[in-house]
Amino acid sequence: MHILITGAAGFLGQRLLHRLISRKELCGQPITHLTLVDQTQAAVPDAPDITIHNDAVDITAPNALDGVLDRKPDVIFHLAAVVSSAAEADLDLGMAVNFDATRALLEGCRTRRLNKTRLVMASSVAAYGGDLPDVLDDMTALQPQTSYGTQKAMCEFLINDYSRRGLIDGRVLRLPTIVIRPGRPNAAASSFASSILREPLNGEEAICPVPLDQALFVMSPDKVIEALVHGAEVQEEALGKFRAFILPGITTHVAEMLEALREVAGAEAVARVRHEPDARIEPLVASWPARFETAKANQLGFVGDRDFKQIIDAYVAEHR
Amino acid sequence: MHILITGAAGFLGQRLLHRLISRKELCGQPITHLTLVDQTQAAVPDAPDITIHNDAVDITAPNALDGVLDRKPDVIFHLAAVVSSAAEADLDLGMAVNFDATRALLEGCRTRRLNKTRLVMASSVAAYGGDLPDVLDDMTALQPQTSYGTQKAMCEFLINDYSRRGLIDGRVLRLPTIVIRPGRPNAAASSFASSILREPLNGEEAICPVPLDQALFVMSPDKVIEALVHGAEVQEEALGKFRAFILPGITTHVAEMLEALREVAGAEAVARVRHEPDARIEPLVASWPARFETAKANQLGFVGDRDFKQIIDAYVAEHR
Ligand SMILES: NC(=O)c1ccc[n+]([C@@H]2O[C@H](COP(=O)([O-])OP(=O)(O)OC[C@H]3O[C@@H](n4cnc5c(N)ncnc54)[C@H](O)[C@@H]3O)[C@@H](O)[C@H]2O)c1
Ligand SMILES: NC(=O)c1ccc[n+]([C@@H]2O[C@H](COP(=O)([O-])OP(=O)(O)OC[C@H]3O[C@@H](n4cnc5c(N)ncnc54)[C@H](O)[C@@H]3O)[C@@H](O)[C@H]2O)c1
């Protein structure tokens, strides 16, 4: 079993890499080769039984993936991307990384007849947008309102079509907002969703820019990684007529997140969250869909977090 | 008012050209320039007051549209495309014409800052697919099951994103099945829908490969042309958060089509239709969505055919 990870130096790429190495197998077969691709050299843990190629490659360069695909990976986790704010700031960059490189990857597989190769790509809840119903489901139209969401949606279609034509075996998972992300607050509008938990748990202050009743659709990093792995293991026959669907996140709201924080770390942790409504962030977050019926993912056996407290417990356990 | 038509030698392109010339104005302004683009030289009717450029251009060639866009069209009708069967038979051709050329057109407008230029593109009901509800509406997901539908859907997203960014003013109309097309039967699965009317009206035999109760979502060529014109005239503010929507076709079924044929041309015309179920065509046509709530198009002032008899009457009047 030879696995390729693009974006292997990133947040999810690194976690997935560790998970695969500790699992030692995928789809019932021992992992013998791992190829890591990222523009920055990925950190590589010890893995005595696995041959690891670690290629610092800009996937937007012409023929960038030739050498990598010549090694004929059985499973590809395609995680390399520029995030929403970067894609919004630079249309060309977003198109090049988020769309053209995905297309080049598909073409590279097609040229080499890697039609049994399973391609797992991370799409995003940001592919949704527009005048959304209260509860979304698998038949809700994508009407992305960002270039990032647009590029992800275009990749979904392309992967679906290449899969339908039997050129590749694609699976595209729309990821909910990931909470709790480690690290520092950043410019993303979603940053607060991790910040209001992570900082208080570390004894620091955090700012909550949205109302207590703001609903969010979230998934923990652990469950996202499990979903990526499961995405590679699902049988092709079960995927039906469209290869992209939303993962089973859970719907929570800020008050519930803070209540879970209180249960885990006490009232003094919650007191570290300052409530400062932000006129820029509030409407943005309010426009994100928060309620989904994830019938397809459920039926395919994807599993989300049980409740919000479990998300905090997992974070605390990992970062203790 | 300078108008560019791509695909100007095609079925809809030619009809649109005649309509614009007889209208003499668009968006309340006199039409002074028309630029026609097609890989085959478009036929050009007399139009004394209009300067017409007629460029035989393969829009997939690098920089093919440079000269054309340098003339800064105010309105672009983008109709050039390869049809469904061609896009299915040749993925590269379909991607090049139906997707890459649209992207190049958008980029050409962006480079020249043609951000007030109105771009009207023809998408298709073929962008829908998968496990569809009985009645579709503006929030029904696109899950295309053909490469043609995939390419159209990708264009919808790209045009929407360029419009949202203020780089162009795009409007994408998803066209119903067009009935009655003039000409001869062809390989398209939808060919029968025109054939079972056109041939009997001409005193010829036709074959109906689907059951009498098969439902279809259709629009006459005239109403499609009116919709394209209206698509250019709608105010940008009215378009809301997504630039693509289905046009108000009418839902009919084969029995009703034949009953309308009887009213117009008598029982002997209907008797020229032979019913020969076709195991290849039947399931295909059965999978096409036939019932839509077209709230957005209605609200924007798009108008469809009154009933099926009107469609036949219009054809007869035109071809007498
Ligand atoms: N984290 C989330 O909340 C979230 C939500 C939805 C979807 N996703 C998607 O999941 C995937 C992984 O997300 P992440 O949080 O790990 O992001 P990340 O930014 O941490 O990782 C992305 C990686 O892609 C690499 N990359 C960017 N451009 C590249 C190029 N031209 N060539 C090679 N490598 C390049 C970056 O160096 C980075 O290591 C992305 O596709 C992202 O869009 C993430
Ligand atoms: N007629 C329908 O039932 C229907 C339904 C839905 C959507 N549409 C769309 O409406 C548009 C017009 O349809 P039509 O029925 O007039 O089709 P058509 O095939 O008659 O016309 C398309 C034109 O595009 C031109 N073309 C193709 N490749 C080209 C290239 N590389 N460079 C330059 N020109 C090229 C062709 O020469 C042709 O004249 C198309 O975009 C089609 O996808 C049509």
Side-chain angles (χ1 to χ4, degrees):
Chain A
M1 166 63 57
H2 177 180
I3 301 170
L4 163 62
I5 305 176
T6 77
F11 166 51
L12 293 179
Q14 281 287 306
R15 290 183 82 104
L16 176 64
L17 174 61
H18 282 86
R19 180 71 58 100
L20 291 172
I21 287 175
S22 71
R23 275 183 128 243
K24 295 193 174 68
E25 62 90 28
L26 189 67
C27 307
Q29 288 170 47
I31 299 170
T32 52
H33 291 76
L34 274 167
T35 298
L36 311 179
V37 164
D38 200 298
Q39 60 188 350
T40 59
Q41 191 88 27
V44 184
D46 267 349
D49 300 330
I50 305 179
T51 308
I52 301 187
H53 304 275
N54 193 6
D55 296 333
V57 169
D58 176 353
I59 58 167
T60 68
N63 305 102
L65 293 168
D66 276 6
V68 167
L69 293 177
D70 283 343
R71 290 181 212 133
K72 299 194 189 302
D74 302 296
V75 173
I76 302 173
F77 292 98
H78 180 39
L79 304 177
V82 296
V83 297
S84 189
S85 52
E88 201 58 27
D90 186 339
L91 177 59
D92 297 314
L93 177 72
M95 285 297 290
V97 181
N98 295 350
F99 177 71
D100 290 318
T102 303
R103 185 173 173 188
L105 181 61
L106 290 169
E107 277 298 295
C109 291
R110 177 186 177 202
T111 312
R112 289 169 185 78
R113 302 185 186 283
L114 303 183
N115 53 317
K116 294 282 168 221
T117 292
R118 294 185 174 177
L119 171 67
V120 182
M121 186 184 123
S123 181
S124 167
V125 67
Y128 292 98
D131 299 316
L132 289 167
D134 284 342
V135 180
L136 288 72
D137 64 27
D138 294 312
M139 282 313 290
T140 304
L142 302 183
Q143 301 193 341
Q145 300 298 312
T146 60
S147 292
Y148 172 80
T150 299
Q151 291 146 12
K152 291 286 186 188
M154 286 169 48
C155 290
E156 291 192 4
F157 282 139
L158 210 55
I159 291 174
N160 189 61
D161 199 44
Y162 274 63
S163 299
R164 188 188 59 80
R165 296 183 79 109
L167 302 171
I168 186 90
D169 178 1
R171 296 99 195 279
V172 186
L173 315 183
R174 293 183 194 132
L175 309 192
T177 298
I178 301 181
V179 171
I180 301 170
R181 283 186 80 115
R184 305 298 309 165
N186 62 32
S190 62
S191 180
F192 80 90
S194 288
S195 207
I196 61 172
L197 306 162
R198 185 185 57 216
E199 269 65 278
L201 287 169
N202 292 339
E204 296 172 30
E205 290 222 324
I207 291 170
C208 181
V210 303
L212 282 171
D213 63 355
Q214 175 63 56
L216 286 169
F217 190 67
V218 300
M219 200 170 205
S220 66
D222 265 8
K223 293 295 175 196
V224 168
I225 297 301
E226 271 173 35
L228 289 169
V229 169
H230 187 64
E233 296 196 323
V234 168
Q235 292 302 312
E236 180 164 26
E237 300 70 52
L239 290 164
K241 291 184 179 150
F242 199 69
R243 298 300 184 106
F245 46 87
I246 182 87
L247 288 182
I250 54 174
T251 301
T252 183
H253 54 278
V254 172
E256 189 184 50
M257 294 163 76
L258 294 178
E259 174 55 24
L261 176 64
R262 198 191 53 73
E263 283 179 44
V264 175
E268 64 280 19
V270 177
R272 294 190 192 107
V273 180
R274 279 212 321 272
H275 295 268
E276 292 184 5
D278 184 318
R280 188 187 63 87
I281 293 179
E282 222 177 292
L284 246 176
V285 176
S287 79
W288 296 344
R291 287 178 185 80
F292 287 85
E293 275 183 19
T294 63
K296 180 151 181 178
N298 300 352
Q299 179 217 315
L300 290 170
F302 289 89
V303 178
D305 300 283
R306 204 179 50 229
D307 54 32
F308 203 82
K309 180 155 178 302
Q310 192 189 40
I311 294 183
I312 302 192
D313 285 338
Y315 179 86
V316 170
E318 183 182 332
H319 291 85
R320 209 189 311 275
Chain B
M1 166 62 59
H2 178 180
I3 301 170
L4 163 62
I5 305 176
T6 76
F11 166 51
L12 293 179
Q14 282 287 306
R15 291 184 82 103
L16 176 64
L17 175 61
H18 282 86
R19 180 72 58 97
L20 292 172
I21 287 175
S22 71
R23 276 184 128 244
K24 297 193 173 69
E25 60 90 29
L26 189 67
C27 308
Q29 288 171 46
I31 299 171
T32 52
H33 291 76
L34 274 168
T35 298
L36 311 180
V37 164
D38 201 297
Q39 61 188 352
T40 60
Q41 192 88 26
V44 185
D46 266 351
D49 300 331
I50 304 179
T51 308
I52 301 187
H53 303 276
N54 193 6
D55 297 332
V57 169
D58 176 353
I59 59 168
T60 67
N63 304 103
L65 292 167
D66 277 5
V68 167
L69 293 177
D70 283 343
R71 292 182 210 133
K72 299 195 190 302
D74 302 297
V75 173
I76 302 172
F77 292 98
H78 180 40
L79 304 176
V82 296
V83 298
S84 189
S85 51
E88 201 60 26
D90 186 340
L91 176 60
D92 297 315
L93 178 71
M95 285 297 290
V97 181
N98 295 350
F99 178 71
D100 290 318
T102 303
R103 184 173 174 187
L105 181 62
L106 290 168
E107 276 298 295
C109 292
R110 177 187 178 201
T111 312
R112 290 168 184 80
R113 300 184 187 283
L114 303 183
N115 53 316
K116 294 282 167 219
T117 292
R118 293 184 175 178
L119 171 68
V120 182
M121 185 185 123
S123 181
S124 166
V125 67
Y128 293 98
D131 298 315
L132 290 167
D134 285 341
V135 180
L136 287 72
D137 64 26
D138 293 312
M139 284 312 291
T140 304
L142 302 182
Q143 302 194 341
Q145 300 298 313
T146 60
S147 292
Y148 173 80
T150 300
Q151 291 147 11
K152 290 287 186 187
M154 285 168 48
C155 289
E156 292 192 4
F157 283 139
L158 209 54
I159 291 174
N160 190 60
D161 199 44
Y162 275 63
S163 299
R164 188 188 59 79
R165 296 183 78 109
L167 302 172
I168 186 88
D169 177 1
R171 295 100 195 278
V172 186
L173 314 183
R174 291 182 197 136
L175 310 191
T177 298
I178 302 182
V179 171
I180 303 170
R181 285 186 78 116
R184 304 297 310 164
N186 62 32
S190 62
S191 180
F192 80 90
S194 289
S195 207
I196 59 171
L197 307 162
R198 188 185 55 216
E199 270 64 277
L201 287 169
N202 292 338
E204 295 171 30
E205 290 222 325
I207 291 169
C208 181
V210 303
L212 283 170
D213 64 354
Q214 175 63 56
L216 286 169
F217 190 66
V218 301
M219 199 171 206
S220 66
D222 265 9
K223 293 296 176 195
V224 168
I225 297 300
E226 272 174 34
L228 290 169
V229 170
H230 187 65
E233 295 197 323
V234 169
Q235 293 302 311
E236 181 164 24
E237 300 71 51
L239 290 165
K241 290 184 181 150
F242 199 69
R243 298 301 185 104
F245 46 88
I246 182 89
L247 288 181
I250 54 174
T251 301
T252 184
H253 54 278
V254 172
E256 189 184 50
M257 295 165 76
L258 295 178
E259 173 55 24
L261 176 64
R262 199 192 52 74
E263 284 179 43
V264 175
E268 65 280 20
V270 177
R272 295 191 191 106
V273 179
R274 279 213 320 273
H275 295 268
E276 293 183 6
D278 183 319
R280 191 188 60 89
I281 293 180
E282 222 176 294
L284 246 176
V285 175
S287 78
W288 296 344
R291 288 180 184 79
F292 286 87
E293 276 184 18
T294 64
K296 181 152 181 179
N298 300 351
Q299 179 217 315
L300 289 170
F302 289 88
V303 177
D305 300 283
R306 205 180 47 229
D307 54 33
F308 202 82
K309 180 153 177 306
Q310 193 189 39
I311 294 183
I312 302 193
D313 286 339
Y315 178 86
V316 171
E318 185 182 331
H319 292 84
R320 210 191 310 275

